[in-house]
Amino acid sequence: MSVRTASTAPFAGGGSLIKMRYGAEVNAVHEIRKTAVIGAGVMGAGIAALFANAGLCVALLDIDPALSAAAVSRQIKAGGFTDPAFADRIRTGSSITDLDMVADADWIVEAAAESLDTKHQIFTALNAVRKRGSIVSSNTSTIRLSQLVGGMDPLDARDYLIAHFFNPPRTMKLLELVAGPQTRLEATALVTAFSEESLGRCVVPCRDTPGFIANRIGNFWTAVALDAAIAQNLDVEEADALIGYAFGSAAGIFGLLDLVGIDLVPTASRSLRSALADDDPLQAYPAEPPLITAMIAEGRVGRKAGAGFFRKDHEGTLQVLDLRDRTYRARRPASSPALAATEGDLRLLMSHESAGGRFMSVVMSRTLAYAASLIPEIADTPDHIDQAMREGYGWQQGPFQLIERLGPGWLVTRLRAEHIPVPASLEDAGSGTSVT
């Protein structure tokens, strides 16, 4: 399979179309035929493959053109293309010497390192070569749009938004979309329509706040669950079984950490925390617990390293990390005495006098209270938050669906009994239902 580079085949047309009429916006892009991605890391390469799968011509650039070419090869091996031949729709090059490759792109995606200075440098270079009216989006997961376009010429800033894809882009359907007060409504509408109709994304509008929706809540949920599992001396299997049942997350907490990459957790967490207020509840949990520090030092960073909270021994038998002494043992059946005793009733489960019950009480109460406290800060409606957590973190039910399942009044009483501040959005529920 060949990969076209800047010096070979022309960057020529065709592809999926989403047409719109802008009236006076005669210079604005009104259809998406050609795309470009700046940054050929895991996310950039995955987004480029997603565009190619949709029939688009794609320019994929990184500082070193060899990195761009290698990224396409990795996507072929990883099954990122629905047909390996679609890799020929991607041209690769250098973001330093070949930036003119993006000059005729309709949608340019920046997927570089999570550094504001780096992104500002890229945007300055892009604004010098891109056609007027093309759309530029950032795949940032923590930096606000207001920071990205700060100091930018308003004529350029109106073309900018955040379109945050989730990893891996081919299978994760969530696309968080953030538009600012300067962003053209037509640009937002075009990206939304194209992403839904041609890319098969679930587009969720978010407010311009740190971490947006899914990672803001997901980081808190992960931090609470990890802390509570260690505090209750739970086995990995029981913790994941409980999380899997309550939230419908197939991977559980520890399976999710292995999938994401344990070494990436502290970096993402610190980036988010630096943008949050000092009194945000996430700040009460360590960005890098001692267990995570030790695992990173030992190279046990998840699936990509062949060992994390799970690994396979030389005979192919799945093993699990003991959270107490950090040794591996044979995996046990995924079960929980608390689940069995309460027959899956969430209220009874959260009230069960066992390590598993205490674990679920902490995780459910704090996570649901945190989500409820973020309305309307991070989203216009609870539905958007539920949708983001289902599509971005694989929950079967979003936090507000879980609140309804428990009963808002019951949860309010529970929060007060545990001395957890009751969010304003839950105050009207009252506390008429006693805690079991």
Side-chain angles (χ1 to χ4, degrees):
M1 176 61 61
S2 62
V3 177
R4 286 189 274 187
T5 64
S7 60
T8 57
F11 190 25
S16 303
L17 305 181
I18 297 294
K19 297 183 178 181
M20 304 186 68
R21 297 188 180 278
Y22 287 166
E25 294 287 345
V26 294
N27 292 323
V29 166
H30 62 278
E31 62 187 30
I32 294 175
R33 289 177 179 267
K34 301 177 182 179
T35 58
V37 179
I38 310 298
V42 173
M43 286 303 299
I47 294 168
L50 184 68
F51 285 150
N53 290 338
L56 299 176
C57 297
V58 190
L60 176 62
L61 308 180
D62 209 309
I63 294 175
D64 184 341
L67 296 175
S68 305
V72 176
S73 297
R74 286 197 306 273
Q75 282 293 310
I76 294 172
K77 293 178 181 178
F81 297 98
T82 51
D83 183 333
F86 293 166
D88 284 337
R89 295 170 177 166
I90 300 178
R91 287 195 313 152
T92 61
S94 167
S95 56
I96 304 299
T97 61
D98 302 315
L99 199 60
D100 59 342
M101 289 172 61
V102 312
D104 60 350
D106 303 309
W107 181 6
I108 303 167
V109 175
E110 172 274 310
E114 199 76 342
S115 160
L116 185 58
D117 288 342
T118 298
K119 294 179 189 299
H120 278 166
Q121 291 172 15
I122 290 171
F123 297 153
T124 298
L126 284 176
N127 289 338
V129 300
R130 71 183 180 93
K131 63 184 178 183
R132 179 68 66 189
S134 60
I135 298 168
V136 183
S137 70
S138 175
N139 191 58
T140 180
S141 60
T142 59
I143 302 174
R144 298 172 63 179
L145 181 61
S146 59
Q147 296 173 285
L148 295 176
V149 301
M152 190 180 291
D153 186 322
L155 288 178
D156 288 314
R158 64 207 299 266
D159 296 329
Y160 277 71
L161 48 79
I162 289 172
H164 177 220
F165 293 83
F166 278 67
N167 189 39
R170 180 179 173 185
T171 57
M172 297 300 290
K173 301 300 184 183
L174 178 62
L175 178 64
E176 293 182 316
L177 197 65
V178 180
Q182 299 180 80
T183 308
R184 290 185 290 110
L185 294 178
E186 298 87 355
T188 305
L190 180 58
V191 169
T192 298
F194 179 81
S195 298
E196 291 178 344
E197 297 174 24
S198 292
L199 301 181
R201 301 299 93 180
C202 171
V203 179
V204 175
C206 308
R207 295 189 183 275
D208 192 15
T209 57
F212 316 125
I213 296 177
N215 282 339
R216 178 74 177 273
I217 296 173
N219 269 269
F220 181 79
W221 173 64
T222 303
V224 173
L226 179 60
D227 184 80
I230 294 172
Q232 296 300 327
N233 287 319
L234 284 188
D235 288 338
V236 164
E237 298 96 328
E238 181 173 9
D240 278 356
L242 288 163
I243 290 293
Y245 175 79
F247 294 92
S249 172
I253 285 293
F254 295 104
L256 178 64
L257 292 172
D258 268 14
L259 178 63
V260 170
I262 293 165
D263 55 327
L264 300 181
V265 172
T267 302
S269 182
R270 289 191 178 99
S271 178
L272 176 58
R273 290 160 196 262
S274 68
L276 295 175
D278 290 341
D279 62 352
D280 190 278
L282 179 61
Q283 308 285 17
Y285 296 89
E288 187 174 325
L291 173 63
I292 298 298
T293 301
M295 292 181 71
I296 293 173
E298 295 161 358
R300 304 178 184 184
V301 295
R303 291 189 187 181
K304 61 186 177 184
F309 290 103
F310 300 89
R311 76 171 186 185
K312 289 184 178 179
D313 64 16
H314 62 280
E315 296 179 351
T317 301
L318 190 62
Q319 296 183 317
V320 174
L321 188 73
D322 188 296
L323 300 182
R324 291 166 286 275
D325 61 17
R326 300 203 308 274
T327 61
Y328 287 98
R329 56 167 174 74
R331 185 183 186 184
R332 298 170 185 146
S335 62
S336 167
L339 265 180
T342 59
E343 298 182 344
D345 184 294
L346 282 185
R347 289 188 184 183
L348 295 177
L349 181 58
M350 291 172 63
S351 306
H352 195 258
E353 287 299 325
S354 65
R358 291 188 292 273
F359 170 76
M360 284 312 302
S361 178
V362 169
V363 177
M364 291 286 287
S365 296
R366 283 162 174 72
T367 301
L368 299 184
Y370 188 64
S373 75
L374 297 176
I375 287 287
E377 178 189 346
I378 66 172
D380 291 330
T381 70
D383 286 345
H384 288 155
I385 292 180
D386 281 347
Q387 194 173 29
M389 296 313 296
R390 291 196 305 265
E391 299 295 340
Y393 274 76
W395 293 12
Q396 288 184 1
Q397 291 185 305
F400 291 93
Q401 291 175 305
L402 288 170
I403 289 171
E404 288 299 319
R405 183 174 165 189
L406 285 168
W410 185 90
L411 179 60
V412 166
T413 302
R414 183 86 193 181
L415 295 178
R416 287 175 176 155
E418 296 181 11
H419 306 291
I420 298 172
V422 177
S425 61
L426 289 179
E427 282 287 359
D428 291 342
S431 55
T433 307
S434 62
V435 179
T436 301

